[in-house]
């Protein structure tokens, strides 16, 4: 979209549109600002961070220190979504130059997330305003999320809990790429639905599509579908070719540099998590159980099932509504689907691709609730657009009153979701660990220079600064991939990453966030093997385990591995 187009659209915006946009943006970002900046921000940000955020932070900190995109500080990894990783490397370099606390990298990630959610909200409001028809007042429900209106009652009915806020904008600021994906999609909507369709407009839209794809790689399915639909407009082929060229070039460049620098075209995290070409039968079993005997599932598993099912259901509904409308108009000789309908239909097709792939090839425990930022947003946009006509139809005082009531109800629903489940992910002790425990660990190992296999999501490496091999396998180097397992056999207990680490001089292992049996400070080798069966599997056979570091409250145990007869055979 050209700057002149944006100024014109802003200038034509009616007061109702301005009110809806401003109110929605305030509802989306205001709670974060109030929560974060009225207290110690460097400690509070840890409550917003998802566990996997620390993969990004560790790689960013190591990039600033060594110049390598690496988790262990030595070997390159590509186990991340590239655009978000790049955005976190920038503050990491600044923090290193300023010799500031590493927590400020996380502060940047959370603060940037707030800004990006605000950008996404405003971009979508500008994109979906058209002609003389005002925005639907239901737009103010975007922060809560329409899918949440389905998720919350089901979770409360089945499990007496609300589940995570994965289907609302209140779950988007998590230190992960979620907020960037939403902002990129908002810019895509702005470029796609803008009246201007010159070659220059196509280049700008292509940049937004590339940002969407590189912000979260599986969302390339949505970006490619949207780009393909541009060729349906036969009057603006230059626009379509320009946008597609930029998107294609960005994806090709990503694959080529991966091949050249890392030796693998796709990120190790996605490769290791996937069972492709075999089927992820446990995910299919999860969905089947949810439909037959849902109360047999633990709440967390029920939430995983809904996180997969609801985006797929809304996508199917969107495709059905758009297709049936197009068929009716074609039968009566009317025009084809509107540009807005086509945009939502393309998003729905891409969403189905993502959902079906995860259903078929990604084991349930390998899926995060941040996998579906745009698919969850689609649910809200489809309902908002679907109800727009009849909400705007009544005129005069009656119509104004109706829209005011709907606006108030939508805003109230967002506030209700906020109160029912706070926007923070839920601090499981990351902040306390960073500020209280990690300094003791660093003091204990001062001058000893240990190396550790971290069976965690980066929190130990980031906070203790101990060089660590990723025991989950998600941020390892290419040579380590064969030892990490694949699909259901990836990760804890099934991989040989501890043995690989031992061969590379990593003589300790630990976990913080993942459960294990209680360990005594003077635990024996047998007791330690019994406490960590899901970590060890067949690893470290013939070696002796001993407690090396024991936190005062037993929240962290670092285990030393001694192999008197040499490292285990790989």
């Amino acid at each position: 979209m050209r700057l002149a187009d944006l100024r014109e659209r802003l200038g034509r915006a009616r007061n109702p549109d301005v009110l809806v946009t401003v109110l929605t943006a305030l509802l989306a970002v205001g709670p974060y600002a109030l929560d974060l900046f009225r207290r110690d921000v460097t400690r509070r940000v840890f409550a917003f961070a998802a566990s996997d955020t620390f993969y990004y932070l560790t790689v960013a900190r190591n990039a600033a220190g060594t110049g390598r995109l690496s988790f262990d500080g030595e070997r390159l990894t590509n186990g991340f979504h590239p655009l978000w990783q790049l955005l976190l490397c920038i503050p990491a370099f600044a923090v290193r130059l300023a010799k500031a606390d590493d927590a400020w990298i996380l502060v940047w990630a959370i603060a940037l997330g707030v800004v990006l959610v605000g950008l996404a909200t405003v971009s979508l409001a500008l994109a979906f305003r058209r002609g003389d028809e005002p925005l639907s007042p239901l737009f103010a429900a975007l922060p809560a999320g329409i899918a949440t209106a389905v998720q919350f009652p089901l979770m409360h009915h089945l499990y007496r809990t609300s589940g995570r806020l994965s289907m609302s904008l209140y779950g988007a600021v998590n230190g992960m790429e979620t907020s960037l994906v939403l902002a990129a999609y908002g810019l895509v909507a702005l470029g796609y639905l803008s009246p201007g369709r010159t070659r220059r407009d196509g280049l700008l839209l292509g940049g937004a599509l590339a940002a969407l794809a590189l912000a979260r790689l599986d969302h390339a399915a949505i970006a490619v579908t949207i780009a393909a639909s541009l060729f349906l407009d036969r009057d603006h082929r230059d626009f379509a070719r320009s946008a597609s060229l930029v998107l294609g070039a960005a994806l090709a460049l990503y694959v080529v540099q991966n091949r050249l620098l890392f030796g693998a075209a796709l990120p190790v995290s996605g490769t290791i998590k996937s069972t492709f070409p075999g089927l992820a039968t446990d995910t299919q079993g999860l969905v089947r159980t949810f439909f037959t005997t849902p109360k047999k599932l633990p709440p967390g598993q029920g939430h995983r099932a809904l996180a997969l099912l609801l985006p797929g259901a809304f996508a199917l509904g969107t495709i059905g509504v758009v297709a049936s409308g197009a068929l009716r108009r074609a039968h009566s000789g009317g025009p084809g689907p509107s540009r807005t309908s086509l945009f939502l239909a393309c998003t729905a097709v891409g969403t189905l691709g993502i959902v079906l792939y995860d259903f078929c090839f990604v084991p349930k425990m390998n899926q995060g609730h941040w996998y579906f930022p745009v698919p969850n947003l689609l649910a809200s946009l489809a309902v908002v657009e679907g109800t727009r006509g009849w909400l705007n139809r009544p005129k005069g005082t009656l119509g104004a009153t109706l829209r005011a009531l709907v606006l108030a109800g939508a805003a109230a629903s967002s506030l209700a979701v906020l109160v029912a489940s706070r926007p923070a992910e839920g601090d499981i002790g990351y902040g306390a660990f960073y500020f209280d425990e990690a300094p003791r660990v660093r003091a204990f190992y001062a001058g000893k220079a240990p190396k550790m296999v971290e069976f965690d999501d980066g929190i130990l490496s980031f906070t203790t600064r101990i060089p660590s091999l990723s025991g989950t396998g998600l941020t390892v180097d290419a040579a380590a991939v064969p030892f990490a397992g694949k699909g259901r056999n990836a990760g804890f207990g099934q991989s040989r990453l501890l043995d690989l680490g031992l061969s590379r001089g990593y003589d300790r292992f630990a976990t913080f966030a993942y459960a294990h049996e209680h360990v005594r400070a003077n635990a024996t080798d047998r007791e330690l093997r019994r406490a960590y069966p899901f970590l060890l599997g067949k690893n470290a056979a013939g070696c002796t385990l001993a407690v090396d570091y024991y936190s005062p409250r037993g929240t962290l145990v670092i285990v030393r591995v001694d192999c008197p007869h040499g490292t285990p055979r790989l």
Side-chain angles (χ1 to χ4, degrees), residues 160-492:
R160 298 295 184 268
T161 180
S162 60
R164 291 180 174 178
L165 283 173
S166 55
M167 298 178 186
S168 75
L169 297 186
Y170 292 136
V173 180
N174 51 18
M176 299 281 287
E177 69 282 345
T178 313
S179 58
L180 178 61
V181 176
L182 294 174
Y185 181 75
L187 294 176
V188 169
L190 200 56
Y192 191 98
L193 300 176
S194 170
R197 290 212 156 186
T198 65
R199 181 178 297 176
R200 182 172 177 272
D201 294 324
L203 293 174
L204 292 174
L205 176 59
L209 289 167
L212 175 61
L214 297 179
R216 183 165 179 89
L217 293 167
D218 55 0
H219 278 49
I222 296 174
V224 169
T225 306
I226 291 173
S229 74
L230 297 174
F231 289 93
L232 296 175
D233 185 352
R234 297 180 180 180
D235 297 329
H236 300 95
R237 288 298 175 89
D238 282 348
F239 174 77
R241 280 191 289 266
S242 299
S244 300
L245 179 64
V246 173
L247 173 61
L251 292 176
L253 181 62
Y254 172 74
V255 170
V256 169
Q257 67 87 26
N258 257 351
R259 267 289 183 192
L260 293 176
L261 297 179
F262 188 73
L266 299 177
V268 294
S269 50
T271 302
I272 289 171
K273 286 181 178 182
S274 174
T275 64
F276 184 84
L279 294 176
T281 53
D282 61 339
T283 300
Q284 291 139 41
L286 171 69
V287 172
R288 186 167 52 249
T289 302
F290 185 82
F291 277 118
T292 55
T293 53
K295 291 189 176 182
K296 287 187 177 181
L297 294 172
Q301 297 301 309
H303 183 272
R304 286 181 187 274
L306 283 173
L308 189 65
L309 289 170
L310 287 179
F314 278 102
L316 282 172
T318 301
I319 293 170
V321 170
V322 173
S324 63
L327 288 173
R328 283 197 306 270
R329 284 189 292 271
H331 183 71
S332 62
S338 68
R339 195 178 289 181
T340 302
S341 296
L342 188 59
F343 178 74
L344 291 175
C346 290
T347 303
V349 171
T351 291
L352 274 185
I354 295 171
V355 169
L356 287 174
Y357 181 86
D358 289 348
F359 174 75
C360 293
F361 305 117
V362 182
K364 61 183 181 182
M365 295 308 294
N366 289 350
Q367 297 186 35
H369 60 278
W370 47 81
Y371 272 38
F372 309 105
V374 170
N376 285 323
L377 183 63
L378 169 68
S380 299
L381 294 176
V383 171
V384 167
E385 283 300 297
T387 59
R388 178 178 187 160
W390 68 263
L391 281 176
N392 285 327
R393 191 171 298 125
K395 304 300 180 184
T397 304
L398 177 62
T401 303
L402 172 64
R403 287 186 286 275
L405 289 174
V406 172
L407 180 62
S413 70
S414 292
L415 292 175
V417 167
L418 179 66
V419 171
S421 189
R422 297 176 64 82
E425 282 289 314
D427 190 351
I428 64 171
Y430 291 145
F433 184 83
Y434 183 92
F435 289 103
D436 303 331
E437 186 67 41
R440 286 194 287 264
V441 176
R442 293 195 296 269
F444 179 83
Y445 286 110
K448 297 182 182 179
K451 297 177 75 176
M452 174 174 65
V453 178
E454 178 187 334
F455 291 100
D456 225 310
D457 302 312
I459 181 65
L460 294 178
S461 181
F462 181 69
T463 59
T464 66
R465 302 175 194 150
I466 295 174
S468 301
L469 176 70
S470 173
T472 64
L474 301 186
T475 44
V476 294
D477 54 286
V481 171
F483 298 92
K486 182 175 171 62
R488 289 183 301 278
N489 296 321
F492 304 155

Side-chain angles (χ1 to χ4, degrees), residues 51-183:
S51 297
D52 287 19
T53 300
F54 297 98
Y55 287 124
Y56 283 110
L57 298 179
T58 301
V59 172
R61 197 262 316 281
N62 287 342
T66 68
R68 301 185 185 95
L69 290 171
S70 170
F71 186 85
D72 62 8
E74 298 178 10
R75 297 170 178 84
L76 293 176
T77 185
N78 68 349
F80 44 76
H81 296 290
L83 193 54
W84 185 244
Q85 186 65 73
L86 175 64
L87 290 178
L88 292 193
C89 286
I90 296 170
F93 278 100
V95 165
R96 180 173 178 80
L97 288 174
K99 297 182 179 179
D101 194 292
D102 287 340
W104 285 101
I105 308 174
L106 180 56
V107 173
W108 163 270
I110 300 301
L112 180 60
V114 175
V115 172
L116 290 172
V117 166
L119 174 62
T121 305
V122 174
S123 297
L124 289 168
L126 290 172
F128 280 87
R129 185 194 178 275
R130 60 176 183 268
D132 295 326
E133 188 177 1
L135 278 171
S136 169
L138 264 182
F139 192 82
L142 229 62
I146 298 298
T148 306
V150 180
Q151 174 205 345
F152 263 34
L154 280 174
M155 288 296 293
H156 276 285
H157 173 70
L158 295 172
Y159 310 112
R160 298 295 184 268
T161 180
S162 60
R164 291 180 174 178
L165 283 173
S166 55
M167 298 178 186
S168 75
L169 297 186
Y170 292 136
V173 180
N174 51 18
M176 299 281 287
E177 69 282 345
T178 313
S179 58
L180 178 61
V181 176
L182 294 174

Side-chain angles (χ1 to χ4, degrees), residues 519-524 528 545-550 557-560:
V519 175
R520 298 183 299 114
N522 58 349
T524 64
L528 288 169
L545 310 183
V547 173
D548 195 50
Y549 172 85
Y550 193 84
V557 180
I558 299 179
V559 179
R560 187 178 69 254

